[in-house]
Amino acid sequence: MLPESVRRLAAWCAVALLVSGVGYVGILLCVQFRAAVIPVLLALLGTALLLPLHRRLVRAGVQRSLSAGLTCVAVVAVVGGAVYIVVSALIDSGDQIIASLRIAARDLTRHFGAAGTSLDDIASNARELLSRFGGTAASGVISGVSVVGQAFAMAVLALLLVFFFLRDSDRAADTLRALVPRGSGDTVTAVARRAFQAVEGFMRGTTFIALIDALCITVGLLVLKVPGAVGLGALVFVGAYIPYLGAFISGAVAVLVALADRGFVIALWVLGVVLAVQLLEGHVLQPMIQSRTVQMHPAVVLLAITAGASVAGIVGMLMAVPLTAAAVGVLSELRRRHTAPGEQAPPPASP
């Protein structure tokens, strides 16, 4: 007979292989059916963000279907208005931002670029490549139109799913109990509730923090008279949903634009504003707003973002962290339920 420690190791290895195999097959199926999976995931994230508003309307006496419809209409109005403002700002200042980035790139190339390499050489090579492969432009345009149409269809589907998820949110627990075996109904319901609470807390906290970051950085850029301040603020807001990496990219773009258009001193001031906002987020906003949600180590977050990007690109990067938060919530709930009676289990996180 093998020693007890070896048998335990073998059992854990078998469990790890089984879980990895199931997870790999699940990822392959999600990638294969991404046209249906992505709207469902986006709808779950939207439901987690909008459910508090829906609950308030229901408590105010509004019928559930009407409350869900009003919530979706409000979302369309807010998102549409925000997109209009952002697109208008990018149209007005996009050329200026791009020109500033080109100037910054030219300056960096002049001082730190490789010998014999310049932006003019890159531009001439790009024109040669375009002339050589110009015959594929029509197929590229058709492909782009197809991608835009698919994205619009998935957005509409996600909005419809948000409506149904909000309207039928009170029956979710009964539906889960009806789908699982009798003895595990309470456990599955508790695990699902904990996962949704983690996603709900992450979405609400991240949205509030992103709004504060975008407002502070936009005000700072306007005070320093950096071109495209509103567009850069919108980039900061969107980047906040990709922890660490999004803040780094949006902050770097703002500093480069300031460097090209306003000079080295203003770029240093912009860098100071970005760092001050990040310190405010890390030491005040994050502990105060997200202290009641699932906490994740930065290494776990970065690995989740990398894995999401490799599976689904930008959409995967946006959804990786909330899905990881849900997984951490599930593991925490399972650990709490299966803790030995003599051990002290950590209390569940409140929504």
Side-chain angles (χ1 to χ4, degrees), residues 181-207:
R182 286 187 177 181
S184 57
D186 293 338
T187 301
V188 172
T189 302
V191 168
R193 183 179 292 110
R194 181 66 179 272
F196 188 79
Q197 287 175 354
V199 175
E200 185 179 7
F202 172 82
M203 291 299 295
R204 283 189 294 174
T206 302
T207 301

Side-chain angles (χ1 to χ4, degrees), residues 42-66:
L42 292 176
L44 288 175
L45 297 181
T47 303
L49 184 61
L50 300 173
L51 191 58
L53 175 60
H54 173 70
R55 288 170 176 166
R56 290 185 179 182
L57 292 176
V58 171
R59 285 197 295 265
V62 182
Q63 200 264 344
R64 297 193 65 88
S65 297
L66 180 59

Side-chain angles (χ1 to χ4, degrees), residues 15-324:
V15 171
L17 289 175
L18 179 61
V19 172
S20 300
V22 173
Y24 179 73
V25 173
I27 291 175
L28 289 181
L29 291 176
C30 290
V31 172
Q32 188 68 28
F33 300 101
R34 57 185 176 274
V37 173
I38 291 178
V40 172
L41 294 178
L42 292 176
L44 288 175
L45 297 181
T47 303
L49 184 61
L50 300 173
L51 191 58
L53 175 60
H54 173 70
R55 288 170 176 166
R56 290 185 179 182
L57 292 176
V58 171
R59 285 197 295 265
V62 182
Q63 200 264 344
R64 297 193 65 88
S65 297
L66 180 59
S67 175
L70 290 175
T71 304
C72 292
V73 170
V75 169
V76 171
V78 172
V79 173
V83 169
Y84 175 77
I85 293 174
V86 171
V87 170
S88 299
L90 290 178
I91 290 176
D92 294 338
S93 59
D95 294 338
Q96 194 173 7
I97 293 176
I98 294 175
S100 300
L101 289 176
R102 287 177 177 173
I103 295 173
R106 186 178 296 113
D107 293 338
L108 292 175
T109 302
R110 185 186 308 117
H111 291 89
F112 304 104
T117 302
S118 65
L119 290 180
D120 295 334
D121 297 333
I122 296 175
S124 61
N125 293 333
R127 285 193 296 269
E128 182 180 354
L129 289 174
L130 286 175
S131 61
R132 183 178 301 176
F133 299 104
T136 61
S139 60
V141 170
I142 294 175
S143 176
V145 171
S146 176
V147 170
V148 171
Q150 185 179 9
F152 179 77
M154 287 193 295
V156 173
L157 178 58
L159 183 63
L160 292 176
L161 290 175
V162 168
F163 169 80
F164 290 118
F165 289 167
L166 290 174
R167 189 193 66 178
D168 301 330
S169 58
D170 60 326
R171 293 181 286 184
D174 295 335
T175 303
L176 281 178
R177 287 192 178 93
L179 293 176
V180 300
R182 286 187 177 181
S184 57
D186 293 338
T187 301
V188 172
T189 302
V191 168
R193 183 179 292 110
R194 181 66 179 272
F196 188 79
Q197 287 175 354
V199 175
E200 185 179 7
F202 172 82
M203 291 299 295
R204 283 189 294 174
T206 302
T207 301
F208 189 66
I209 292 173
L211 182 61
I212 295 177
D213 288 353
L215 288 176
C216 292
I217 291 181
T218 302
V219 171
L221 295 178
L222 288 174
V223 171
L224 295 173
K225 298 181 180 180
V226 176
V230 177
L232 293 173
L235 181 63
V236 171
F237 180 81
V238 176
Y241 286 94
I242 306 176
Y244 307 112
L245 183 61
F248 173 78
I249 294 176
S250 58
V253 171
V255 171
L256 287 175
V257 171
L259 176 64
D261 191 81
R262 300 282 292 154
F264 182 73
V265 176
I266 298 299
L268 286 180
W269 278 103
V270 172
L271 179 61
V273 170
V274 172
L275 291 178
V277 171
Q278 294 304 316
L279 289 175
L280 174 67
E281 174 186 341
H283 292 83
V284 178
L285 298 180
Q286 288 279 2
M288 182 176 64
I289 296 175
Q290 292 190 337
S291 60
R292 301 174 66 186
T293 62
V294 175
Q295 300 295 317
M296 293 179 291
H297 193 275
V300 176
V301 174
L302 293 176
L303 289 175
I305 293 173
T306 304
S310 64
V311 172
I314 297 177
V315 177
M317 294 175 67
L318 291 173
M319 294 190 297
V321 179
L323 292 180
T324 305

